[in-house]
DNA sequence: CCTTGAACCTGCGGGC
DNA sequence: TGCCCGCAGGTTCAAG
């Protein structure tokens, strides 16, 4: 489920319900996800107050009162949601945070590509999984000049460059296709062949596509609190993703599906050049 | 350095 | 109905 907009939505939901609250108890229902849970995880977290919740790339960082930071990643299939404390655990409920007021926050992840780790407030940026991350697409440092510079001398298809997290974070398989459609650029174009003007337009498209999706998720934030844990992701409108064979909304030409580095790409061969 | 492909794991839908 | 295959929103690692 999670691309950047979903992670952002989850972060906002968590902020609203956890900041200032105390994590009274933690239950780990298996020893690991993508990596082992840290030694003494429950002991380092239980009883502490949540000071802040923020996002870096698709990682969620939960800062506790003593400077310990919980690092969460949802992988491909992870979900976080709130429910009544003591609810019978469901399949793939791996971590349960008791947050008082009769509520618990659940991390459920069928495929277990997600992860949970610990770091410190003054050291998270040098955490092995975070230290090589690229630009945040919604920040001002990600602009036309920056993208243009990143693309120089690179032969890789622009879609793959957008998804390279050591250059730009948070643009996953769905929004890479959607952004390129909005910008009118073929996913197959060699990155190094983009003009400055195209880079400018692509940056605008990426920001718009992500912001629109966040807005859609934000409007269903109430659902985050609901028991089903859905965030409105599937209700969001896509122009090309998953639309193979359907008429392009701009020119009616059929949307095409191809594979790039093993991942599906969708685009309109007529209006994306 | 850059690029590609496999790997991690479960669930679902399609075809036979 | 059941089995096998391919596919799925992410990321890391090894190999070329």
């Amino acid at each position: 489920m999670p691309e950047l907009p979903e992670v952002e939505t989850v972060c906002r939901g968590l902020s609203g319900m956890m900041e200032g609250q105390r994590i009274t108890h933690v239950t780990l229902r298996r020893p690991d996800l993508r990596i082992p849970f840290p030694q003494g995880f429950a002991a380092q977290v239980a009883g502490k107050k949540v000071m802040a919740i923020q996002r870096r790339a698709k990682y969620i960082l939960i800062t506790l009162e003593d400077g310990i930071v919980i690092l969460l990643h949802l992988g491909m299939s992870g979900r976080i949601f709130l429910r009544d404390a003591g609810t019978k655990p469901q399949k793939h409920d791996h971590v349960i945070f008791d947050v008082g007021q009769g509520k618990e926050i659940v991390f459920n992840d069928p495929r277990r590509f997600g992860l949970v780790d610990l770091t410190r407030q003054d050291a998270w940026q040098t955490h092995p999984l975070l230290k090589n991350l690229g630009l945040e697409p919604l920040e001002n440092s990600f602009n036309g000049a920056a993208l243009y510079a990143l693309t120089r001398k690179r032969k890789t298809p622009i879609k793959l460059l957008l998804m390279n997290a050591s250059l730009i974070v948070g643009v996953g398989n769905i929004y890479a296709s959607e952004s390129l459609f909005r910008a009118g650029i073929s996913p197959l174009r060699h990155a190094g062949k983009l003009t400055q003007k195209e880079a400018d337009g692509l940056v605008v498209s990426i920001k718009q596509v992500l912001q629109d999706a966040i807005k859609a998720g934000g409007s269903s934030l109430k659902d985050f609190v609901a028991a089903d844990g859905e965030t409105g992701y599937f209700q969001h409108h896509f122009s090309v993703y998953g639309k193979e064979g359907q008429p392009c909304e701009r020119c009616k030409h059929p949307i095409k599906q191809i594979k790039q580095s093993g991942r599906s790409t969708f685009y309109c061969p007529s209006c994306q050049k």
Side-chain angles (χ1 to χ4, degrees):
Chain A
M1 123 179 155
E3 283 214 32
L4 183 143
E6 290 67 47
V7 178
E8 179 65 26
T9 300
V10 168
C11 267
R12 292 179 187 183
L14 284 176
S15 296
M17 69 186 55
M18 285 184 93
E19 277 179 14
Q21 299 294 114
R22 209 170 281 282
I23 298 173
T24 56
H25 186 77
V26 179
T27 307
L28 302 176
R29 306 190 63 249
R30 51 171 301 116
D32 57 26
L33 289 175
R34 200 174 84 209
I35 61 175
F37 294 138
Q39 288 290 325
F41 178 79
Q44 292 198 71
V45 169
K48 302 208 177 133
K49 195 182 282 187
V50 174
M51 304 307 286
I53 297 183
Q54 64 193 310
R55 178 187 61 74
R56 170 73 172 110
K58 292 170 189 160
Y59 292 90
I60 299 166
L61 291 89
I62 303 174
T63 304
L64 305 178
E65 57 187 327
D66 59 352
I68 296 274
V69 174
I70 304 171
L71 202 57
L72 300 178
H73 194 289
L74 300 177
M76 291 272 261
S77 57
R79 294 184 309 141
I80 291 182
F81 53 91
L82 186 76
R83 70 181 176 204
D84 290 334
T87 303
K88 184 178 175 197
Q90 307 295 301
K91 201 171 187 183
H92 310 306
D93 286 352
H94 304 310
V95 186
I96 300 172
F97 299 93
D98 217 313
V99 290
Q101 327 252 307
K103 296 288 180 184
E104 62 190 21
I105 284 169
V106 182
F107 184 3
N108 177 293
D109 181 10
R111 292 176 71 181
R112 308 207 301 271
F113 290 170
L115 70 86
V116 177
D117 203 0
L118 289 176
T119 180
R120 299 197 48 84
Q121 192 170 17
D122 53 16
W124 65 264
Q125 293 170 87
T126 60
H127 187 285
L129 296 170
L130 303 185
K131 65 172 196 264
N132 292 321
L133 292 175
L135 296 172
E136 282 289 338
L138 297 178
E139 288 182 1
N140 292 333
S141 54
F142 181 63
N143 52 43
L147 178 61
Y148 185 73
L150 287 178
T151 57
R152 291 310 88 186
K153 309 260 183 187
R154 287 182 193 262
K155 222 181 101 189
T156 192
I158 184 62
K159 190 224 181 193
L160 269 41
L161 182 136
L162 294 183
M163 293 178 64
N164 182 340
S166 67
L167 305 177
I168 305 158
V169 301
V171 181
N173 201 38
I174 293 179
Y175 296 113
S177 283
E178 292 294 313
S179 306
L180 287 163
F181 172 76
R182 193 182 292 220
I185 298 170
S186 165
L188 297 163
R189 278 277 293 285
H190 290 347
K193 294 272 182 63
L194 258 67
T195 64
Q196 177 67 67
K197 197 174 163 194
E198 287 173 324
D200 292 343
L202 183 50
V203 163
V204 170
S205 296
I206 290 168
K207 289 177 191 276
Q208 285 176 346
V209 163
L210 294 177
Q211 294 284 19
D212 285 356
I214 290 170
K215 199 172 292 179
S219 68
S220 61
L221 250 191
K222 56 178 169 35
D223 294 336
F224 174 83
V225 183
D228 64 3
E230 292 301 324
T231 61
Y233 186 91
F234 286 106
Q235 293 141 38
H236 194 252
H237 156 85
F238 298 135
S239 294
V240 290
Y241 187 82
K243 302 260 177 187
E244 136 108 325
Q246 297 182 44
C248 168
E249 62 187 28
R250 195 185 295 153
C251 75
K252 309 301 179 200
H253 199 279
I255 299 300
K256 193 171 173 187
Q257 175 176 12
I258 58 172
K259 280 268 190 247
Q260 292 182 285
S261 280
R263 314 290 305 275
S264 283
T265 300
F266 300 86
Y267 71 109
C268 172
S270 171
C271 46
Q272 290 178 254
K273 297 298 181 189

